[in-house]
């Protein structure tokens, strides 16, 4: 876990599946810091609970944040946003649909609707289908876009930085 950037600014929590410091998210963090966004990076492995995310926010004295989840961490991000709407004010997910849409499950106890404004970025047709199906589980603004390039590319970094800043401004 790492915290970087200007104190007192809007906060973004990045769920990062990369166990090393060679994450494509460091370049994104650098851009966010220029935009006066404070970042909290959580090396999430493949799953982190919403309760853990909220605990980390509490430990840093952060009342609310935009949450970013990529690939396997997207499901954790969806669940955290659904179960903690007062703390997760925006959501950006990459290649992961709402658990009810992605798993074909129907039951509010599994993963409720998300009230945070949400951006879903996709890199494949299958991810796009899951993201489109997720729209019905979002009660805020929903934006769907194709990834501009492979993870780590300058196009990916520019697009992710922009999408995250847009969500922090609307939160």
């Amino acid at each position: 876990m790492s915290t970087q950037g200007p104190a007192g600014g809007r906060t973004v929590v990045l769920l990062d599946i990369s166990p090393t410091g060679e994450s494509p998210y460091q370049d994104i963090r650098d851009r966010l810091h220029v935009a006066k966004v404070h970042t909290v990076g959580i090396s999430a492995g493949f799953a982190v609970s919403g309760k853990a995310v909220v605990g980390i926010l509490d430990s840093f004295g952060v009342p609310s944040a935009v949450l970013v989840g990529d690939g396997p961490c997207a499901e954790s991000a969806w669940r955290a946003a659904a179960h903690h709407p007062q703390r997760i004010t925006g959501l950006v997910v990459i290649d992961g649909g709402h658990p009810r849409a992605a798993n074909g499950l129907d039951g509010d106890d599994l993963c409720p609707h998300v009230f945070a404004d949400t951006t879903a970025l996709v890199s494949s047709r299958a991810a796009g289908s899951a993201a489109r199906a997720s729209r019905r589980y979002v009660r805020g603004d929903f934006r769907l876009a194709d990834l501009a390039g492979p993870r780590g590319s300058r196009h990916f970094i520019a697009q992710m930085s922009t999408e995250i800043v847009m969500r922090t401004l609307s939160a």
Side-chain angles (χ1 to χ4, degrees):
M1 177 175 51
S2 68
T3 179
Q4 300 174 354
R10 295 176 187 248
T11 301
V12 171
V13 175
L14 300 160
L15 301 180
D16 192 352
I17 62 171
S18 174
T20 68
E22 298 177 24
S23 166
Y25 287 98
Q26 187 54 52
D27 291 333
I28 293 169
R29 284 184 195 102
D30 293 342
R31 284 182 178 224
L32 293 174
H33 300 157
V34 169
K36 307 287 188 241
V37 175
H38 179 251
T39 60
V40 176
I42 302 172
S43 293
F46 289 100
V48 64
S49 72
K51 189 174 181 178
V53 170
V54 169
I56 290 167
L57 292 177
D58 288 343
S59 72
F60 290 115
V62 175
S64 62
V66 170
L67 185 58
V68 178
D70 187 355
C73 292
E75 183 172 341
S76 296
W78 279 106
R79 289 183 185 282
H83 289 285
H84 301 281
Q86 70 285 5
R87 303 297 298 274
I88 307 302
T89 58
L91 180 63
V92 178
V93 291
I94 305 126
D95 287 342
H98 186 283
R100 288 167 60 186
N103 300 326
L105 303 173
D106 195 22
D108 284 343
D109 58 324
L110 299 172
C111 189
H113 287 85
V114 170
F115 288 87
D117 291 343
T118 302
T119 299
L121 300 169
V122 298
S123 65
S124 69
R125 179 173 277 165
S129 294
R132 276 187 295 286
S134 298
R135 182 183 309 256
R136 69 178 154 221
Y137 300 109
V138 176
R139 295 295 181 247
D141 177 59
F142 183 83
R143 177 174 155 68
L144 173 64
D146 291 329
L147 278 177
R151 286 166 180 79
S153 71
R154 66 184 176 91
H155 300 293
F156 171 80
I157 292 164
Q159 180 185 30
M160 284 298 298
S161 303
T162 301
E163 296 291 349
I164 294 167
V165 167
M166 284 180 16
R167 284 297 166 218
T168 62
L169 295 175
S170 70

